[in-house]
Amino acid sequence: MASRPLTEAGFFVLLALLDEPRHGYGIKQEAAELSGQRLDLRVGTLYGVLDRLSAEGLVDHDRDEVHQGRLRRYYRLTRDGEQALEAESARMAANVRAAEQRLTGRWPADESAPAKPVRPAAPVTPSAPRRARPAGAGGAA
């Protein structure tokens, strides 16, 4: 099982394999969908992640299939991979709870966005009088 937190890519690869074995392109597509299209795994990144997860015993080779003359290698989640996914989900949920506790009460309940911090007014310094621009010279006069 993973002894350190999963990367975002590793997390979504494991999550993509949770329901069924998938080949590389299927993992890429599922991870993108699960992440709301935030994660766009490049081929090198995907196979690097799969190699690392495989070395850690979190994913395993399931089978190979030939599709349109090309070999597709399918990967499956191992029991350790499922436990790592559960542990990472719990860790992330604890982080969210800590953040929510910190953020609760920072703003009035009826406000949907944080109020801008109050800053002391800048000292007023006299400035040169502004000249009016002629019409058509980059803005209204």
Side-chain angles (χ1 to χ4, degrees):
M1 183 159 43
S3 59
R4 57 190 165 151
L6 295 168
T7 63
E8 184 175 32
F11 176 80
F12 280 107
V13 166
L14 293 181
L15 194 57
L17 293 171
L18 185 60
D19 58 347
E20 65 183 348
R22 297 180 195 277
H23 55 81
Y25 185 73
I27 294 169
K28 173 185 170 34
Q29 294 301 105
E30 186 71 8
E33 184 176 323
L34 290 167
S35 69
Q37 306 304 319
R38 288 182 299 106
L39 186 65
D40 180 18
L41 291 170
R42 305 284 181 205
V43 173
T45 301
L46 172 63
Y47 287 101
V49 169
L50 284 168
D51 286 346
R52 184 178 54 79
L53 294 174
S54 181
E56 293 176 0
L58 305 181
V59 301
D60 205 1
H61 173 254
D62 186 66
R63 68 185 184 278
D64 292 328
E65 288 183 3
V66 176
H67 178 75
Q68 297 179 347
R70 297 186 69 175
L71 185 67
R72 284 185 173 173
R73 174 161 281 188
Y74 283 74
Y75 297 86
R76 65 177 170 78
L77 190 63
T78 64
R79 187 176 305 257
D80 284 347
E82 189 170 340
Q83 290 173 350
L85 185 58
E86 289 172 354
E88 183 67 8
S89 295
R91 185 189 72 79
M92 292 168 67
N95 289 348
V96 168
R97 283 191 303 276
E100 287 173 341
Q101 288 173 355
R102 269 307 256 216
L103 291 168
T104 301
R106 289 190 55 181
W107 302 290
D110 60 339
E111 298 279 336
S112 62
K116 291 186 178 184
V118 177
R119 293 189 179 142
V124 178
T125 56
S127 59
R130 300 184 80 193
R131 290 193 230 164
R133 292 187 216 161

